[in-house]
Amino acid sequence: MKLLTESQITQVFERFRLNNPEPKTELIAPNPYCLLVSVVLSAQATDKSVNVACAPLYEKVRTPEQMLELGEEKLISYIKSIGLYRAKARHVMGLSKRLVQDFNSTLPSTREELESLPGVGRKTANVILNVVFKQPTMPVDTHLLRICPKIGLAEGNNPLQVEKSLLERIPSRYMEHAHHWLILHGRYVCTARNPKCEECIISDLCAHNF
């Protein structure tokens, strides 16, 4: 697959920036701790399904202490509509316990510490580092893994390869918002089935069209 040039990549992200200057995560959470919970719950689930399940949960639970007080079975009653809910409930209770015991109930700001929490892998850690701590990370989900090589923004066949390629190729000034632009593009425009190329603001640059 053809890779875009440095100039073309700049054009891609400048168009994304002009179209949506301040993109946000679509997960709805009242604070960083709740965002971490939502990201863990969103694995193999849609943001919308997580938001629906968590809206009543976050009316009662906003801290790791409150989550531990709620308990695993009660948590399950809120998140049963989400896939893999039993394993995810165990992860949420485990990470909440670790946050209280080892991190003074606040989110750590390093990848190593975040990945030491139950249920937190590289992608989840990258989301928290980017959204909460404004670090230039690149969480690669199924959307980015699918569209970035297709567009010509990155090369690679797995999330880590695509992540490293994007970090090398995207200009630093776009990195704070880059993964949000790409996720939204994959979710709503460059869809897996019937991509909306006629609506795409980067269709003339996309390597898939050449």
Side-chain angles (χ1 to χ4, degrees):
M1 178 63 70
K2 171 179 173 286
L3 285 172
L4 301 186
T5 66
E6 183 177 337
S7 173
Q8 289 172 320
I9 290 174
T10 296
Q11 290 181 65
V12 166
F13 284 97
E14 189 60 19
R15 291 183 192 180
F16 284 152
R17 184 189 69 81
L18 290 172
N19 184 62
N20 186 5
E22 295 289 334
K24 305 293 183 186
T25 177
E26 293 191 312
L27 289 170
I28 300 170
N31 61 37
Y33 165 71
C34 292
L35 177 62
L36 175 60
V37 171
S38 288
V39 176
V40 169
L41 295 176
S42 71
Q44 300 180 51
T46 65
D47 287 2
K48 183 177 180 179
S49 69
V50 173
N51 289 338
V52 169
C54 287
L57 174 66
Y58 293 155
E59 290 178 3
K60 296 186 176 182
V61 174
R62 296 201 173 193
T63 68
E65 289 90 349
Q66 290 173 338
M67 186 69 76
L68 293 173
E69 185 176 342
L70 182 72
E72 186 171 325
E73 288 305 312
K74 187 72 174 181
L75 172 60
I76 286 174
S77 72
Y78 284 97
I79 66 171
K80 284 189 75 169
S81 60
I82 301 173
L84 307 173
Y85 63 87
R86 288 196 179 277
K88 291 176 180 179
R90 287 196 298 273
H91 290 325
V92 169
M93 301 310 292
L95 70 85
S96 299
K97 185 176 181 180
R98 281 288 313 286
L99 288 173
V100 172
Q101 290 181 342
D102 299 338
F103 298 103
N104 197 30
S105 299
T106 61
L107 298 194
S109 60
T110 69
R111 181 191 309 284
E112 294 73 21
E113 289 174 319
L114 285 166
E115 289 188 19
S116 76
L117 300 173
V120 178
R122 186 177 184 89
K123 189 198 80 171
T124 297
N126 278 340
V127 171
I128 297 302
L129 291 172
N130 181 261
V131 176
V132 177
F133 297 106
K134 308 303 181 186
Q135 294 184 23
T137 60
M138 183 54 63
V140 175
D141 67 350
T142 54
H143 291 302
L144 270 68
L145 184 61
R146 175 175 56 82
I147 73 169
C148 291
K150 174 182 175 180
I151 294 169
L153 291 171
E155 52 191 349
N157 299 309
N158 61 56
L160 185 57
Q161 290 174 345
V162 171
E163 175 188 334
K164 290 182 176 180
S165 185
L166 289 170
L167 289 173
E168 290 172 359
R169 295 168 59 78
I170 297 174
S172 59
R173 62 186 178 277
Y174 299 116
M175 279 302 302
E176 181 180 342
H177 298 309
H179 97 270
H180 286 308
W181 286 321
L182 291 169
I183 287 172
L184 294 171
H185 190 68
R187 190 172 286 168
Y188 297 112
V189 181
C190 194
T191 50
R193 295 182 181 180
N194 303 316
K196 302 175 178 66
C197 296
E198 69 284 354
E199 299 176 18
C200 177
I201 62 174
I202 61 168
S203 60
D204 59 315
L205 298 167
C206 179
H208 186 67
N209 293 329
F210 295 95

